[in-house]
Amino acid sequence: MSAPEGIRTITGTENKAFVNYATAHGKREQALSAWVYLQKIYEGDLLFSNQKPVQQAIASERSRINNEDAAFLNQLAPQSYMKWYLPLRKLISAVGTVAQYNIEEIPNTIAAFRQLDYADPRWYHSGLLKDAIESQYWLLENRGLPLDAMYVEMNRSTDSLLQSLSQNETAFNLVTKYLFDYFEKHSLFTASEYLANQALTQNSCRIELSLGQQLESYRAMKKGNTAPDIVFEGDVFQNGKAITTPAHLSALRVKYKLVIFGANWCPNCVEELKQLIPLYEKWKSQGVEVVFISLDTDQKAFRDFAIQMPFISSCDYKKWDTPAAKAYFVSSSPTMYLLDEDQKIMLRPISMIQLDAYLQSGKKD
């Protein structure tokens, strides 16, 4: 509901209700944010905490604004589209304010998202569905919880979403795809793994083929599973020289193997590999060997890239059709896996910084 001044009122009761509410609600939200900020100062700062009349006035004005907002919504016709739409838009638009100024309301806000009926067909023509999903998980991600607790809460939200859609196959696939894409974009791999397991083990909805393949990557490649062997095909380099041995991943007899899928055309891959090179000798002394599986299609680009690498770099120029990429269900780059000597998956790192901290922690069980 931002920038209501850019909205032009046209005919229709619903349209006019939307414009009237959007204009007034934006102003009320700004005022509420200011009053919440002041209330925290007057309640938490010793300089102002004895000003009870001011505190009461602030609380009274907050209540008045909220009541005014509620009164507008209550007067709408029960069956009107705006009666359904505007409270949802209000909930979504309040997330940023709640996270910044009103953190005590976070549990209630998340509970409100979980109680929504995502099977309602109006979601799928409203333009709100993706925003509602992303706002809920963004709030959980930025709530300041310990990582394990954050994932527990995300999994609760995932359960509530999937359960509400268990009888609507099209919506189930759409929402699962939205969730998966959000988790991937934000490197929330533990949440992706949980989503994949829940979606693939339910029996009420058929998963679309392409989505199922993406989800399967987390079921097949989760921590503790044995990773497939990789045959080094095409051009294989190490320390700037073409090599023929080892011929496959399992031939590397080392304590740990870091397998990286990436490409010269991927800026994040280039950045991560630049960060890796200064760490390589330290990691190697700890029993870590690195294998880079390139998704490049241009031979010169790969060779110019690989010649800088002290570790094994292999490329068959098939991009996503590279057998190793298919075996590891790779759908984005960079994708990394840390394996033990028996090729059991220990970690799916999101960055070299995270991996270095993990390796130095000594907690590699």
Side-chain angles (χ1 to χ4, degrees):
M1 293 184 186
S2 60
E5 64 276 6
I7 301 172
R8 182 170 61 88
T9 306
I10 56 177
T11 58
T13 302
E14 300 275 18
N15 292 322
K16 290 178 180 178
F18 173 80
V19 172
N20 290 340
Y21 183 73
T23 303
H25 177 72
K27 295 176 181 177
R28 285 193 286 263
E29 282 292 292
Q30 289 177 339
L32 278 174
S33 297
W35 286 121
V36 168
Y37 176 76
L38 286 173
Q39 187 172 37
K40 291 182 184 300
I41 292 177
Y42 273 84
E43 291 179 351
D45 194 312
L46 291 176
L47 187 63
F48 304 103
S49 59
N50 62 343
Q51 300 296 313
K52 301 302 180 184
V54 178
Q55 293 174 22
Q56 291 170 2
I58 292 172
S60 176
E61 179 61 6
R62 285 186 63 188
S63 178
R64 186 195 70 79
I65 293 173
N66 282 320
N67 289 339
E68 190 176 84
D69 202 81
F72 182 95
L73 296 173
N74 288 336
Q75 56 85 33
L76 294 172
Q79 300 304 316
S80 85
Y81 179 75
M82 285 299 147
K83 183 80 168 181
W84 173 85
Y85 179 92
L86 289 175
L88 295 177
R89 195 71 194 95
K90 176 183 176 181
L91 175 65
I92 295 166
S93 66
V95 164
T97 301
V98 168
Q100 188 171 3
Y101 300 112
N102 207 10
I103 59 175
E104 65 273 11
E105 282 299 311
I106 290 178
N108 289 336
T109 304
I110 291 171
F113 276 113
R114 288 175 179 162
Q115 291 165 8
L116 296 175
D117 178 13
Y118 292 95
D120 191 316
R122 288 174 291 189
W123 277 111
Y124 303 91
H125 304 284
S126 68
L128 295 179
L129 180 61
K130 192 172 183 180
D131 285 343
I133 293 170
E134 293 188 352
S135 294
Q136 178 181 179
Y137 285 89
W138 180 89
L139 192 55
L140 288 169
E141 191 178 358
N142 291 276
R143 189 178 174 182
L145 294 173
L147 195 60
D148 288 348
M150 180 193 76
Y151 280 124
V152 167
E153 291 300 313
M154 285 189 170
N155 293 346
R156 286 185 61 196
S157 290
T158 296
D159 284 340
S160 69
L161 264 170
L162 298 187
Q163 287 168 9
S164 74
L165 297 167
S166 61
Q167 303 304 312
N168 188 328
E169 188 171 286
T170 300
F172 186 95
N173 277 273
L174 179 64
V175 169
T176 301
K177 177 63 174 172
Y178 281 163
L179 273 180
F180 185 79
D181 288 346
Y182 180 89
F183 294 153
E184 290 293 282
K185 182 179 178 181
H186 292 254
S187 298
L188 298 167
F189 298 135
T190 300
S192 291
E193 184 177 314
Y194 184 83
L195 171 65
N197 184 67
Q198 297 301 97
L200 291 170
T201 55
Q202 57 80 37
N203 297 314
S204 57
C205 297
R206 181 180 59 84
I207 302 296
E208 294 173 359
L209 180 60
S210 60
L211 176 60
Q213 289 173 338
Q214 289 180 300
L215 296 174
E216 188 61 48
S217 70
Y218 281 90
R219 187 161 67 174
M221 301 299 294
K222 68 181 181 180
K223 182 178 177 180
N225 283 10
T226 300
D229 201 6
I230 295 175
V231 176
F232 303 138
E233 298 180 312
D235 286 335
V236 187
F237 291 88
Q238 186 171 20
N239 287 314
K241 297 179 181 179
I243 61 171
T244 56
T245 57
H248 45 84
L249 184 65
S250 59
L252 288 172
R253 308 312 302 169
V254 293
K255 195 171 183 181
Y256 309 110
K257 305 169 189 179
L258 174 63
V259 180
I260 305 170
F261 293 88
N264 184 51
W265 45 258
C266 165
N268 289 339
C269 302
V270 174
E271 183 58 34
E272 290 296 332
L273 288 168
K274 283 181 180 177
Q275 293 183 33
L276 165 59
I277 291 175
L279 297 167
Y280 176 67
E281 291 302 325
K282 178 179 72 171
W283 289 358
K284 192 169 184 177
S285 70
Q286 297 173 326
V288 181
E289 188 52 85
V290 176
V291 172
F292 175 59
I293 305 298
S294 175
L295 304 173
D296 280 296
T297 56
D298 183 272
Q299 187 176 62
K300 184 178 186 305
F302 167 69
R303 290 186 173 187
D304 290 346
F305 197 41
I307 202 168
Q308 309 169 51
M309 308 300 174
F311 41 79
I312 295 171
S313 300
S314 172
C315 187
D316 63 5
Y317 308 104
K318 296 177 182 178
K319 203 172 184 179
W320 305 113
D321 290 329
T322 294
K326 286 188 170 183
Y328 279 63
F329 296 90
V330 175
S331 59
S332 62
S333 62
T335 293
M336 297 182 275
Y337 289 97
L338 182 68
L339 316 177
D340 70 7
E341 57 191 332
D342 297 319
Q343 290 189 199
K344 281 194 170 22
I345 300 168
M346 303 174 64
L347 181 71
R348 182 175 176 177
I350 62 174
S351 68
M352 297 304 166
I353 294 174
Q354 183 215 22
L355 179 56
D356 189 51
Y358 176 83
L359 291 171
Q360 305 322 308
S361 73
K363 298 178 181 179
K364 297 182 278 295
D365 52 4

